[in-house]
Amino acid sequence: MRMDTKAQLDRLGLFDAKVPRYTSYPTAVQFVGGVGPQLHSEWIKSIPEGSEISLYVHIPFCRRLCWFCACRTQGTQNDRPVIAYLEVLKAELALLSADLPQGTTLSRLHWGGGTPTLLNPTMMDELAGAIRDVVPFSDNTEFSVEIDPNEIDAPRLDALARAGMTRASIGVQDFDPMIQKSIGRIQSFESTRDAALELRARGVQSLNADILFGLPHQTQERITESVQKLLSLSPDRVALYGYAHVPWMAKRQQLIPSADLPTPQERLALFEAAQKLFVWDGYAEIGIDHFSAPGDGLQQAQRTGRLRRNFQGYTDDQADVLIGIGASSISRFPQGYAQNASATGLHTGFIQAGRYSSQRGHVFKGDDLMRGRIIEALMCDFAVRSADICQNFDISPSRLHALLVDVAAQFDGLLLVNDEGLAIPPVARPLTRMIARAFDTYAMDTAGHSSAI
């Protein structure tokens, strides 16, 4: 990137801003009380018969707690709490079964965490069977699982294959030993490679990988080496996430000295170094931080305007409903969001009492859905098409045009606005989350969000 362009981005506040990642709108920090078990149940019952829905299952346990991670997890060295939690998940699925309309099938199923692969094969079989009993797979169901190469073996891989897993997601973060030590995540390239090979041998159709930029001690040379190693595994899809350093929210991150982190300007250079390697290797850029190999579904979704963004990142899932199972999980319905109790004990108490554990959420109101779609379009397509917005929402072309012009005026002439809509040219794409923020009408505490780059 040219120096004058970086200077312009600096003037616009890119290197100082803290903004949401916009995996939802409103973002989860805006959720409030009032969305409880009864409303959650009503929203499930209102799903049209014969619908396809998506399901997310949260496993909040890890054998070790990585310092960089801000997910809701807890450490355990034995299976006792995991066995108990599995019974809670099955009870929660039974509640869902009683409410789901007839003919509901699965579009997408994702096991996340935490570390889903710390479940033993018998637990995996039980969980998969309980899910299928409630929501049968369709012919096109995609079933993805987050895989920890340090917490997987042949019997567990066989169990996942039996369960119908079609996509695996491996967290890499970085292969450099010094960086791994500094973030509390030791994971060799060899163990990662072996896990990828074993997954492919079992017919897994797609392999995802996550890699981070902005880690302590990370340099362009080190991220280049890590990306080249990752590319040797031929992942079908890569998420290049910026490390979010929020030690005031994730206490374990206090083990990572802030002084060892790259500056925002260095973060941008790290992203660009990795970005060039993926593009040079034939990967298509998907949204702000994903890369897709030829033939991957995200490329087709991007070409046809069907790319979407949810709590797992970019997706081609077209289901209107995502139901979260497990502690802290978030569900999305056409009416709004509902989040389960974050604490495992509190979640367990509600489920054992025969109620969903929903504690907070958001009921869509006003122009939430329109602004949410505008933000999603920016994050997915770097463009807002006025005809699409006016066709699907109650807004006139003149009022929408005025809104787009007002936002564009905040960005130093970098954005393109005409009768067709608004577009973010490549030079301005590092600003995408900030541009999305300009359409967000909710008050924001910057302490709850990560760097804009």
Side-chain angles (χ1 to χ4, degrees), residues 1 12 29 104 216 246 251 262 265 268 272 304 379 425-426:
M1 183 177 291
L12 289 168
V29 297
T104 305
V246 287
K251 300 302 184 184
Q265 290 84 351
L268 178 58
E272 291 176 338
T304 58
M379 299 292 289

Side-chain angles (χ1 to χ4, degrees), residues 319-342:
D320 291 330
V321 172
L322 168 66
I323 295 179
I325 299 294
S328 80
S329 292
I330 300 175
S331 300
R332 187 193 190 280
F333 300 93
Q335 300 93 331
Y337 295 101
Q339 183 171 20
N340 291 348
S342 297

Side-chain angles (χ1 to χ4, degrees), residues 386-387 389-391 393-405 418-419 421:
S386 295
I389 301 300
C390 291
Q391 179 180 351
F393 302 98
D394 184 19
I395 188 171
S396 67
S398 60
R399 183 167 155 246
L400 176 61
H401 183 74
L403 175 62
L404 301 181
V405 168
N418 54 33
D419 290 342

Side-chain angles (χ1 to χ4, degrees), residues 25-26 30-36 39-40 43 333-338 360-369 442:
Y25 182 79
Q30 302 294 343
F31 291 177
V32 296
V35 180
L39 189 57
H40 192 162
W43 285 352
F333 300 93
Q335 300 93 331
Y337 295 101
R360 57 199 295 267
H362 179 85
V363 179
F364 292 134
K365 60 182 182 295
D367 57 5
D368 281 348
L369 291 173
Y442 288 88

Side-chain angles (χ1 to χ4, degrees), residues 116-136:
T117 51
L118 61 65
L119 298 176
N120 66 38
T122 300
M123 294 178 194
M124 291 178 175
D125 289 339
E126 288 183 17
L127 179 56
I131 292 169
R132 283 183 180 269
D133 287 345
V134 175
V135 199

Side-chain angles (χ1 to χ4, degrees), residues 109-112 116-117 143-147 160 165 167-170:
L109 171 62
H110 184 81
W111 291 4
T117 51
F143 173 20
S144 57
V145 180
E146 295 174 12
I147 306 288
L160 291 173
M165 178 179 64
R167 187 184 301 279
S169 183
I170 297 179

Side-chain angles (χ1 to χ4, degrees), residues 302-414:
Q302 186 178 59
R303 286 193 300 267
T304 58
R306 297 170 67 250
L307 187 65
R308 296 291 179 263
R309 187 165 171 84
N310 64 18
F311 296 108
Q312 280 78 57
Y314 289 102
T315 180
D316 54 359
D317 184 17
Q318 302 300 302
D320 291 330
V321 172
L322 168 66
I323 295 179
I325 299 294
S328 80
S329 292
I330 300 175
S331 300
R332 187 193 190 280
F333 300 93
Q335 300 93 331
Y337 295 101
Q339 183 171 20
N340 291 348
S342 297
T344 305
L346 184 59
H347 173 73
T348 296
F350 272 91
I351 299 302
Q352 289 179 339
R355 305 175 69 201
Y356 298 108
S357 77
S358 319
Q359 296 290 288
R360 57 199 295 267
H362 179 85
V363 179
F364 292 134
K365 60 182 182 295
D367 57 5
D368 281 348
L369 291 173
M370 182 194 74
R371 289 181 179 271
R373 179 55 198 145
I374 288 173
I375 287 172
E376 184 179 50
L378 290 171
M379 299 292 289
C380 291
D381 307 319
F382 302 112
V384 178
R385 296 172 180 84
S386 295
D388 293 343
I389 301 300
C390 291
Q391 179 180 351
N392 291 294
F393 302 98
D394 184 19
I395 188 171
S396 67
S398 60
R399 183 167 155 246
L400 176 61
H401 183 74
L403 175 62
L404 301 181
V405 168
D406 179 63
V407 169
Q410 303 174 38
F411 292 93
D412 206 17
L414 286 176

